[in-house]
Amino acid sequence: MGSRVSREEFEWVYTDQPHTDRRREILAKYPEIKSLMKPDPNLIWIITAMLLVQLISLYLVKDLDWKWVIFWSYVFGSCINHSMTLAIHEISHNFPFGHHKAVWNRWFGIFANLPIGIPYSVSFKRYHMDHHRYLGADGIDVDIPTDFEGWFFCTTFRKLVWVILQPLFYAFRPLFINPKPITYLEIINTMTQIIFDIIVYYVFGIKSLVYMLAASLLGLGLHPISGHFIAEHYMFLKGHETYSYYGPLNRLTFNVGYHNEHHDFPNVPGKNLPLVRKIAAEYYDKLPQYNSWIKVLYDFVMDDTISPYSRMKRPPKGSENLD
């Protein structure tokens, strides 16, 4: 079953965020990277097409046997919905319409949220900016598992359960670590999603609604694409906080695998992150990297030395600007 990993396995660091110095050094050497910091309007059409594909799927599954509803929700719908969550990640950085139309991006995020079935786009934006500003900050960065997760999900079987239930932990963890006042946009996001779910139920039926929700739950849990949740920041090697993945699943995930590049340059859209790596190859090629998210999931579950505790944490400085 594996051995327990103690609370001390959290790696506490007291240095500044690890990406700041590298960003400054790379920009000094390669100022042309600044030209990659621009909106990606193609996201508008790609995301809209993805939503339409999922709407067609809702129609196609409405009369299938239940076993096929679940089968297709995992094999196909999960890929679309997980990809859509990463599209929302792109939207949270204002890439579709640019920073000068930030509100347009928030509304577009609510639109992209529809096929996922659970409202989260607006909230994700708020918490994800904390993740970039205060990477690993205890009590602020909700990407860090809670003490309970690290204490309880410490054996092979329990870690497998934790991986399967990842979407639930990501949904509820902010309420325990860093609750924020509800905004009017979050209310609109929630009401819009509820109305859409009701429409799906009345137009297509219960099987289509289950297909949509199961696609999100299954696609964000034990699924090849979900390897990125663990690959991004879990310390498989001591001292290395962020890892990139350069495999083919980047084509479905807006290049979220280029995660060192993304944290170094969060103003560069996913489409251009391979160019960042190409320009500054001597900085990235020497860093630890992955070629398989499936292997990351396997190693996380099977390796007794890795658990939800395997993250770097920083004590908050007390001067953080949180909305």
Side-chain angles (χ1 to χ4, degrees):
M1 293 293 291
S3 59
R4 285 185 174 272
V5 183
S6 68
R7 174 65 173 79
E8 285 66 36
E9 283 299 304
F10 267 133
E11 183 79 6
W12 284 88
V13 292
Y14 292 83
T15 57
D16 290 331
Q17 294 185 29
H19 299 277
T20 304
D21 292 341
R22 187 164 62 225
R23 179 190 308 123
R24 186 181 300 113
E25 187 175 339
I26 291 175
L27 283 177
K29 189 173 183 179
Y30 301 109
E32 62 267 32
I33 286 179
K34 292 181 180 179
S35 67
L36 303 177
M37 301 176 184
K38 57 186 178 183
D40 180 10
N42 288 330
L43 288 168
I44 300 169
W45 313 114
I46 294 171
I47 292 169
T48 300
M50 290 168 60
L51 189 144
L52 292 175
V53 167
Q54 199 65 317
L55 285 178
I56 293 171
S57 299
L58 296 177
Y59 171 77
L60 293 176
V61 303
K62 67 185 182 70
D63 296 320
L64 295 180
D65 291 339
W66 278 109
K67 63 181 179 181
W68 291 113
V69 171
I70 301 302
F71 173 81
W72 287 114
S73 70
Y74 185 78
V75 172
F76 182 77
S78 62
C79 297
I80 295 292
N81 278 11
H82 197 137
S83 182
M84 192 65 88
T85 67
L86 295 169
I88 289 173
H89 169 257
E90 293 287 288
I91 295 169
S92 75
H93 285 274
N94 294 330
F95 292 143
F97 295 99
H99 295 293
H100 63 294
K101 294 182 178 179
V103 176
W104 289 33
N105 289 292
R106 301 293 75 73
W107 287 108
F108 192 55
I110 293 173
F111 170 75
N113 198 149
L114 294 177
I116 295 170
I118 305 297
Y120 92 103
S121 175
V122 176
S123 298
F124 174 81
K125 157 73 175 178
R126 301 176 72 195
Y127 285 105
H128 187 63
M129 294 304 101
D130 288 346
H131 174 64
H132 276 279
R133 296 187 192 112
Y134 313 114
L135 179 63
D138 190 26
I140 298 175
D141 183 0
V142 299
D143 195 58
I144 297 286
T146 62
D147 284 339
F148 170 77
E149 291 171 73
W151 168 77
F152 185 78
F153 297 100
C154 55
T155 66
T156 299
F157 176 74
R158 292 181 186 180
K159 286 191 289 181
L160 177 62
V161 173
W162 185 81
V163 169
I164 294 171
L165 298 180
Q166 273 190 106
L168 299 182
F169 288 111
Y170 272 96
F172 292 107
R173 191 184 295 145
L175 302 178
F176 295 94
I177 293 182
N178 184 19
K180 296 176 181 283
I182 297 175
T183 67
Y184 82 95
L185 276 177
E186 286 174 303
I187 295 173
I188 293 174
N189 191 178
T190 300
M191 296 307 299
T192 302
Q193 190 64 59
I194 290 173
I195 292 171
F196 179 78
D197 292 353
I198 292 172
I199 291 173
V200 168
Y201 173 75
Y202 277 101
V203 173
F204 298 115
I206 186 63
K207 290 182 178 178
S208 294
L209 181 61
V210 170
Y211 165 87
M212 182 174 70
L213 296 173
S216 296
L217 182 63
L218 298 173
L220 296 169
L222 188 61
H223 192 281
I225 298 177
S226 292
H228 81 86
F229 288 130
I230 294 169
E232 290 166 358
H233 296 295
Y234 283 79
M235 281 196 303
F236 284 81
L237 294 175
K238 285 283 187 179
H240 291 278
E241 180 174 12
T242 306
Y243 302 76
S244 288
Y245 157 83
Y246 299 123
L249 288 177
N250 277 303
R251 297 180 181 274
L252 298 177
T253 59
F254 300 92
N255 287 327
V256 75
Y258 288 75
H259 218 65
N260 270 301
E261 295 84 347
H262 173 59
H263 272 270
D264 288 352
F265 300 100
N267 288 331
V268 174
K271 180 186 71 173
N272 291 334
L273 291 178
L275 291 176
V276 171
R277 183 196 180 199
K278 182 178 180 180
I279 291 170
E282 69 270 28
Y283 289 92
Y284 296 111
D285 289 349
K286 65 183 179 182
L287 296 176
Q289 56 189 252
Y290 298 113
N291 293 312
S292 171
W293 278 336
I294 295 176
K295 188 175 187 302
V296 168
L297 288 172
Y298 177 85
D299 289 345
F300 176 82
V301 171
M302 301 303 295
D303 190 335
D304 293 345
T305 66
I306 303 295
S307 81
Y309 273 146
S310 302
R311 294 288 298 261
M312 283 191 181
K313 294 182 71 175
R314 294 174 175 78
K317 298 179 180 178
S319 59
E320 290 82 3
N321 181 22
L322 307 177
D323 64 0

